[in-house]
Structures are given as structure tokens and as C-alpha cells.
Amino acid sequence: MEVYALVGPSGTGKSHRAVMLAGYLGCEVIIDDGLIIKGDRIIAGVSAKKQPTRIGAIKTALFIDAEHRRVAGEAIAMQAPEKILILGTSRGMTERIAAGLNLPNIKEYIHIDQIASAKEIRKARVMRTQHSKHVIPAPIIEVKKSFPESIIDPLQVFMRRKGLRGRRSWTEQSVVRPTFTLYGKFTISQGALGSIASYAATAIPGVVGVKHAHIIREGQGVTIELFVVANLNFKLDELSREVQRVVKQQLENMTGLTVKYINVTVADIQVGELG
């Protein structure tokens, strides 16, 4: 199985061009926003665009829920496609999706600006930011199953399949307005991310407290600098690695963000028994 990734910031037209790119590459399956799509059918998954909050949408797109991940993985295994296309806002996001669904390493990354002009990307951004319109690369009859009470507009896309000279066709996509856009903007502050990281760290036996948590945001990814107070009865190297593991897991599960690095500094130690 070969896995490809289409990468680009949110609202730049990835879903709109996914079917065309999949046809060109020969990918039978597209993974987009929590859905597993084969041809003109949604064969498994839950749409992130149906979630009531942006955090819920991110978690769904990353297949964080165990049952969602299991069903999606089984559907892919049953289809046994030779090629798959994953859509994501970053390399890290597509790699997390591939790893979560037990897919092979990504063979090639295609950035949105390789297949769309600057003018097309600007137009897509206007549709997203001003009109909150999102594309699902599946026909209305399929999308209606997930959005039965929503207004869904058809979008015709012209595609050509690689290796089939003269084989050209029109395919239908759907334009929807996700539930979470009805509530306006939602952001997570640096302070909130620091609080989550600190709380997760102090729950670990051997960590007495966190003196400071510094968060660096880079798009959908974060780098964390933690300065902890540790109990001397614990091995500091093992304790630091456990802090990295737990904080990464908790922060990614709660926010859907990708944790790139966690640097742990033991800023102070406490001598004696805990408690």
C-alpha cells in the first residue's frame, strides 16, 4: 500500500482538489476530516464538520476516538487499496492519521500550492473565512446521511484518471457549512495550554510541581518548555521521560494539536518522602 499526503493550511482548497489529485495519483481511497471515502461513497468514519466545536472537529479529523479509529481501520483493511490519499493541515497531522490507522509511512507529500494557483487559494480562503463554506469530496446523496437537516450545495469537479488516456469525467462534491462555524471563532490561549501541561505533569508521581510552562505555537503544532520540581527519591531521567510522554498524550487528546517537542528541565528538587 502506498500512502500520499495533500498538505496545506485550513481553508486553502485541499478537499476541493482531493478528487482530482487522487485520480491523477491513482489513489482509490481518500481520508479527509474523519471520513474514509472511496469513489463516490463514504465507506466509514464521522465527519469533523458535523462536530459542534472546533476541538471536537480536530479530534475527529485525527481519529482520536478509539471506536472511530477502529471502524475506519477495518474499512480500509477490507478495501485493501493499493494507494491512499490523506488530507491534513500539516505533515505532522497526516503522519498522526497514518500512524493511528496503522498505515505505512507516507511516500510523498504534495503541498496545496503545487496543485493550486495563488489566485485559487485566495478564492478558497474567502469562501472559508467569509462564508464558512467547506467542501466534502463526496456527492450530496452520501453527505446527506451525515447532514440530514443541512443545506448542501452540489459542486461539479472535472477529473482525469492517471494512465487512462482520454478517460475524463465529471464527479460531484458537496459544499456544507459545519456546525461549529455557527458559534463564531474559538481559540485556545497560551495560558490554557500551559495550564493543561502543568496539570498533567503534576499528576505524575515524583513531580512536586511546575515552576513555569512556556508554550510556543506554530500553526497546529506546539513546542513546550517545562520547568519542574522533582522529588529526589525518583530517577530524574526516567521521571523526565514520563513527563514528556504524559503531557504530550494529554495535550494532544484534549486539544487536537500536534506536540512537536517537550523539553523538560528539572529546575529544583525536593528531598524527603512525598506527602
Side-chain angles (χ1 to χ4, degrees):
M1 184 188 295
E2 294 180 355
V3 181
Y4 296 82
L6 175 57
V7 177
S10 179
T12 51
K14 295 186 300 298
S15 295
H16 176 44
R17 287 169 175 77
V19 173
M20 293 182 285
L21 180 60
Y24 175 76
L25 294 172
C27 296
E28 305 110 294
V29 169
I30 297 172
I31 300 175
D32 180 28
D33 270 347
L35 295 174
I36 311 298
I37 302 167
K38 182 179 181 182
D40 60 357
R41 291 192 307 117
I42 297 172
I43 61 174
V46 178
S47 175
K49 296 173 175 63
K50 192 180 179 182
Q51 302 307 311
T53 66
R54 290 184 184 275
I55 288 184
I58 293 170
K59 288 183 175 182
T60 300
L62 291 170
F63 296 89
I64 287 177
D65 179 77
E67 180 64 13
H68 181 205
R69 187 168 60 248
R70 182 190 66 78
V71 172
E74 289 179 355
I76 293 172
M78 185 176 295
Q79 296 295 324
E82 293 182 4
K83 295 182 180 181
I84 288 179
L85 177 63
I86 301 176
L87 277 58
T89 57
S90 66
R91 287 195 176 199
M93 179 180 179
T94 56
E95 288 167 0
R96 283 184 66 186
I97 292 171
L101 296 176
N102 295 316
L103 300 177
N105 291 333
I106 295 171
K107 178 180 180 179
E108 183 181 350
Y109 298 88
I110 301 98
H111 198 274
I112 186 63
D113 60 15
Q114 294 177 245
I115 60 173
S117 67
K119 182 179 179 180
E120 290 170 329
I121 292 173
R122 284 197 300 272
K123 182 179 178 181
R125 284 190 179 278
V126 169
M127 294 300 290
R128 175 64 60 85
T129 57
Q130 294 186 13
H131 304 287
S132 297
K133 291 185 176 180
H134 295 233
V135 173
I136 297 178
I140 286 180
I141 192 170
E142 284 289 305
V143 177
K144 270 290 186 183
K145 298 173 184 176
S146 297
F147 297 85
E149 299 177 356
S150 301
I151 297 175
I152 306 172
D153 298 320
L155 179 66
Q156 298 295 323
V157 178
F158 182 73
M159 64 178 293
R160 177 190 298 168
R161 294 190 179 278
K162 186 177 182 181
L164 299 176
R165 183 173 296 179
R167 175 88 177 272
R168 303 177 180 183
S169 62
W170 289 93
T171 186
E172 185 182 85
Q173 297 184 353
S174 304
V175 180
V176 302
R177 184 174 180 183
T179 304
F180 59 77
T181 64
L182 302 177
Y183 302 101
K185 278 193 168 184
F186 180 82
T187 57
I188 307 174
S189 71
Q190 304 285 86
L193 294 174
S195 296
I196 293 171
S198 298
Y199 182 82
T202 52
I204 300 169
V207 176
V208 179
V210 175
K211 283 196 168 184
H212 180 63
H214 181 58
I215 310 292
I216 302 171
R217 286 287 300 271
E218 298 174 356
Q220 289 296 107
V222 295
T223 298
I224 303 170
E225 303 277 350
L226 280 179
F227 298 84
V228 304
V229 179
N231 186 277
L232 194 58
N233 293 327
F234 290 77
K235 293 184 178 180
L236 299 184
D237 58 337
E238 294 180 1
L239 182 61
S240 297
R241 281 194 289 272
E242 181 65 2
V243 169
Q244 289 176 317
R245 185 190 70 80
V246 171
V247 171
K248 174 181 171 66
Q249 182 183 61
Q250 290 293 325
L251 200 62
E252 289 185 341
N253 285 346
M254 290 185 69
T255 67
L257 296 171
T258 300
V259 176
K260 295 182 176 180
Y261 303 100
I262 299 180
N263 300 318
V264 179
T265 299
V266 179
D268 201 355
I269 57 173
Q270 181 184 82
V271 180
E273 296 293 332
L274 291 172

